[in-house]
Amino acid sequence: MKRRRTLSVALAVPVLLSLAAVAAPGAATAAPVALSGKTVEFNVLAADGATAAQAEAAVRAAGGTVVTSNSATGLLTVSAPENGFAAAVAANKAVEGAARVKSIGQAPKGEKTAKAKAKAVEQEHKAAGKKADKKADKPATAGMDPLDSQLWGLSAVRSDLARTKQAGDKRVKVGVIDTGVDGSHPDIAPNFDRALSRNFTRDIPFDENGEVVDGPCEYRGCVDPADVDNGGHGTHVAGTIAAAADGFGVSGVAPNVSLVNVRAGQDAGYFFLQPVVDAITYSGDAGLDVVNMSFYIDPWLFNCTNNAADSPEQRTEQRLTIKAVNRAMEYAHRKGVAQVTSLGNGHMDLGNPLPDASSPNYPAGNTHPRTIDNATCFSLPTEGPHAIGVSSYGPSQAKADYSNYGEHISISAPGGYFRDGFGTDWYQTNENLILSTYPRNVALTEGAIDEAGNITPDGEAAGVQKSVRPDGSVGYYQFLQGTSMASPHASGVAALIVSQYGAYKGKSVSLAPDKTRAVLEGTAAPIACPTPRTVDYTVVGRPAEFNATCEGGADFNGFYGNGSVDAWAAVTNGKKFLK
C-alpha cells in the first residue's frame, strides 16, 4: 500500500521546464508582437529565480496590466488583449509561462443557470521549533451544547472527552480557505477573528458567454466583506472546527480556538488559481497555525502536465497551476502552517484515477473526456506538498460511498454517509450526516427558511434546525455530507494539538507543522479494512464504479490511512510523537 506520491517543485517532468509552448522562458525578449482582440485575463508565473517584480515588468513590456501579484510565488493575474500577449510575455526570461484565465467586461445575455460545482453529494438527504518564553496558561476546558447530541462526529473523534482537558486556546488560529465564513452566526461570532480575516475573491456575475456564475453583486464593488458567506459551505466547515461551546446550538471539535476566514471560493463554489494561491500564502504571512482546504482548484479536477486530450494552451494552464500551487504550499509550510485537505468526493482510488469527463468546468460547455495518468496528473491542493489528506466515513465507520481513498491519504474522519446502515433504521436518514452552522442568508436563498425566519417544509425535510438564544439571536444549522465535512474534524484536532504542545510567546503560539502532523497521525485510532475487502456499493444504489477495494493493514490502509483522528488521544498521549 503506497502512502502517497511526492509532488516536488521540480516535479521531475521535463515538459515543465517551459510552461508556455510558444516560447522558452530563458529566451531573450522577442521582437514586438502585435496585440489584438478583446481584453481578457491571464495568469503569468515568474520563472525560477525571478521575482514577482521582474515578472510584472515583463507584463508591462508585453502590453499587459497587472491586476494581482503574489510576491511569495510569483503568480500574477493580468489583463491584456487576447491575441499575441501570451507569446510576447512568455518570451521574456523572467517569465515561466502565461495562461488565459477568462474574459472580462462581458454583458449578461440572460438569467440562465450556471453550471456550478454539484452539491448533489453534500446535500443528499430527505514559525516553529523555537522555545517558548513561558509555559502556556492552564488549558481551558469546555462543556457540550444542546444540539451536540446529534453530532456523532464529535464523539467519534472523542472531542467530548478532549475538551475536559484541552478545549483549545484563542491564540491558536485556524484558517478556513473556503466560500467564506459567516462571522455573524451566533455560534461562530465568539471565536471569529475579524481583524485577520480576508476575502481574496471578486464576485463574477456572469462568465464570458453571459452565463450566470455568482449572480448579481450583493455589495458595491462586487467584493463581499470578509465576514460573509453566500455559499454556506465555509460556514459549515468553520462550525465543525470551532463553533463555540457556550450553551447554545452546537460546538466544534476545538471550541475555544480562533477562526479566520481566508476566502478563496466564489459564491457559486468555484475555486480559481489566483485567489487560492493568495489565500495559502496569506495564511503563512498571517501566522495561522492550521488551514482547512475542502475543495479542488477549478477548472480542472486533475491538472495534467501533458494530457493528449487537452489543447496546448490548456496544458500550459495546468502546468502553471501545478507549479504555482506547489510554491504556495511550500511557502505556507515554511511559515509554520499545517495544511489539512479533504481527499475528494470522486469515489475513486487516487492511485488509479477514474477518467475525467468534468473538466474544464469553467466556463460552462467546455468539458471533454480525459484519461488520467497518475504519474503526471494532480488533484490540487489534495495532491500538493505537505497536504494532510482526509477520507470520510459514516456513523458505522464504513467508508462513505463517495469518498476518495488510496494514495495521498493520511487519516480519516467523520464526514457523513447518508446510505450507511443499509438494512437498518439508520439507512438514508439525515442523522447519518454532519450537522453544523448554516448562514441565515443562504438558508433564506435556498428556501430552508421564510422571510420571518421560520423553517419551511423543505427545510424540515432536510433536517434544518433553529436555536434561539435568550437575547433573541438566532442560529440555523444544516446537515451535509462529504470529505469537506471530514477534513474540518481533523483540522479541529490539529488545532487542539497546537494548543496542547505549542510554544507560547505573548499573543502567539507555534508548533512545526510536521510535528502537528506527527501527533495527528500517531494518535489516530486504527481502523482495519472491512471483510471482504472489496465493498459493493451497488447494494445501496450506486453504479459499479463506486465499488472499492481496501488495501493495507490495520495500522495503515487505503480507506482510513493511519486511522480516525482522535482528539482525546492527541491531547493526552501526543507528546511522545514530538521529535
Side-chain angles (χ1 to χ4, degrees):
M1 172 72 223
K2 292 195 297 183
R3 296 187 179 221
R4 61 183 288 113
R5 194 160 36 109
T6 299
L7 179 63
S8 65
V9 175
L11 289 170
V13 179
V15 74
L16 283 180
L17 294 177
S18 175
L19 293 178
V22 293
T29 303
V33 178
L35 306 184
S36 64
K38 62 187 177 184
T39 298
V40 301
E41 287 189 348
F42 294 86
N43 282 137
V44 175
L45 187 65
D48 290 337
T51 66
Q54 290 171 320
E56 291 173 22
V59 166
R60 290 189 289 270
T65 300
V66 177
V67 176
T68 303
S69 177
N70 185 292
S71 61
T73 61
L75 178 68
L76 317 177
T77 295
V78 307
S79 61
E82 64 179 334
N83 301 316
F85 172 77
V89 75
N92 192 297
K93 64 182 180 180
V95 171
E96 188 83 27
R100 167 89 175 265
V101 180
K102 62 181 184 293
S103 296
I104 58 176
Q106 297 297 308
K109 290 183 179 177
E111 294 293 327
K112 296 181 180 179
T113 302
K115 184 185 180 299
K117 287 216 179 155
K119 290 187 176 181
V121 169
E122 291 180 352
Q123 293 188 332
E124 184 184 26
H125 47 42
K126 286 186 186 162
K130 292 183 179 179
K131 276 193 172 182
D133 286 356
K134 60 184 181 72
K135 291 184 178 179
D137 299 333
K138 183 179 178 181
T141 59
M144 302 292 285
D145 281 352
L147 297 181
D148 286 352
S149 60
Q150 300 180 55
L151 273 59
W152 60 268
L154 280 186
S155 56
V157 304
R158 301 208 289 180
S159 169
D160 52 340
L161 292 177
R163 67 185 61 191
T164 65
K165 176 179 175 63
Q166 175 63 266
D169 189 287
K170 278 288 187 293
R171 289 167 287 187
V172 175
K173 302 185 185 301
V174 182
V176 180
I177 302 181
D178 215 293
T179 60
V181 175
D182 177 10
S184 68
H185 192 288
D187 253 330
I188 299 294
N191 292 335
F192 188 70
D193 190 324
R194 197 174 305 274
L196 281 181
S197 292
R198 298 288 187 273
N199 174 16
F200 291 100
T201 69
R202 296 175 294 164
D203 283 352
I204 305 172
F206 305 91
D207 69 16
E208 61 186 70
N209 299 315
E211 301 290 341
V212 176
V213 182
D214 295 324
C217 298
E218 298 90 353
Y219 297 89
R220 290 183 177 88
C222 292
V223 176
D224 296 342
D227 60 353
V228 168
D229 178 10
N230 289 316
H233 190 275
T235 299
H236 194 283
V237 166
T240 297
I241 296 169
D246 56 1
F248 170 84
V250 302
S251 66
V253 174
N256 285 356
V257 304
S258 294
L259 289 164
V260 181
N261 176 25
V262 193
R263 179 173 168 180
Q266 303 296 138
D267 291 346
Y270 293 105
F271 288 78
F272 296 121
L273 178 61
Q274 186 79 53
V276 170
V277 166
D278 289 346
I280 294 172
T281 58
Y282 172 77
S283 299
D285 293 335
L288 305 190
D289 301 288
V290 180
V291 293
N292 187 93
M293 296 187 280
S294 296
F295 59 88
Y296 69 87
I297 297 172
D298 296 290
W300 302 94
L301 177 60
F302 288 91
N303 284 276
C304 301
T305 60
N306 198 29
N307 195 295
D310 300 331
S311 70
E313 293 78 12
Q314 290 171 334
R315 295 176 201 174
T316 295
E317 176 189 348
Q318 293 169 77
R319 295 171 198 154
L320 188 151
T321 297
I322 293 168
K323 200 156 195 177
V325 174
N326 220 26
R327 289 178 182 177
M329 295 181 74
E330 291 283 7
Y331 180 85
H333 182 78
R334 290 194 302 270
K335 289 280 190 171
V337 185
Q339 300 170 79
V340 181
T341 65
S342 62
L343 213 58
N345 298 337
H347 60 272
M348 72 179 83
D349 178 355
L350 288 176
N352 185 27
L354 293 172
D356 174 21
S358 65
S359 302
N361 64 4
Y362 182 88
N366 290 304
T367 61
H368 56 264
R370 305 191 301 160
T371 298
I372 302 301
D373 172 45
N374 186 47
T376 59
C377 296
F378 306 92
S379 184
L380 297 168
T382 298
E383 297 185 326
H386 311 293
I388 302 172
V390 187
S391 70
S392 174
Y393 63 76
S396 74
Q397 287 193 340
K399 184 192 83 68
D401 52 0
Y402 56 79
S403 179
N404 289 343
Y405 59 99
E407 203 167 77
H408 299 284
I409 190 171
S410 170
I411 45 181
S412 55
Y417 178 16
F418 185 61
R419 305 182 191 210
D420 202 358
F422 179 71
T424 74
D425 291 341
W426 290 7
Y427 184 61
Q428 294 190 338
T429 56
N430 291 330
E431 290 75 17
N432 283 352
L433 311 182
I434 303 299
L435 183 68
S436 189
T437 41
Y438 192 18
R440 186 188 190 282
N441 59 309
V442 180
L444 185 61
T445 299
E446 294 181 343
I449 63 173
D450 60 23
E451 290 286 351
N454 301 308
I455 299 175
T456 64
D458 285 347
E460 289 179 0
V464 172
Q465 299 184 40
K466 176 180 180 179
S467 185
V468 183
R469 287 178 181 264
D471 66 3
S473 59
V474 179
Y476 294 94
Y477 307 85
Q478 67 170 328
F479 284 104
L480 294 176
Q481 68 174 359
T483 56
S484 289
M485 285 68 247
S487 60
H489 284 88
S491 293
V493 177
L496 293 179
I497 291 168
V498 178
S499 299
Q500 183 67 22
Y501 305 110
Y504 287 80
K505 186 176 182 179
K507 295 182 179 180
S508 66
V509 57
S510 62
L511 185 67
D514 288 338
K515 292 185 177 182
T516 302
R517 180 181 194 135
V519 176
L520 198 61
E521 294 178 345
T523 60
I527 304 176
C529 286
T531 302
R533 285 175 175 263
T534 297
V535 179
D536 182 1
Y537 290 107
T538 64
V539 299
V540 295
R542 294 299 197 184
E545 73 173 26
F546 277 72
N547 294 346
T549 299
C550 182
E551 297 181 358
D555 291 341
F556 187 91
N557 59 65
F559 277 15
Y560 305 102
N562 289 280
S564 173
V565 291
D566 188 330
W568 174 246
V571 301
T572 59
N573 197 36
K575 189 173 182 179
K576 68 182 182 181
F577 297 99
L578 298 171
K579 298 178 181 179

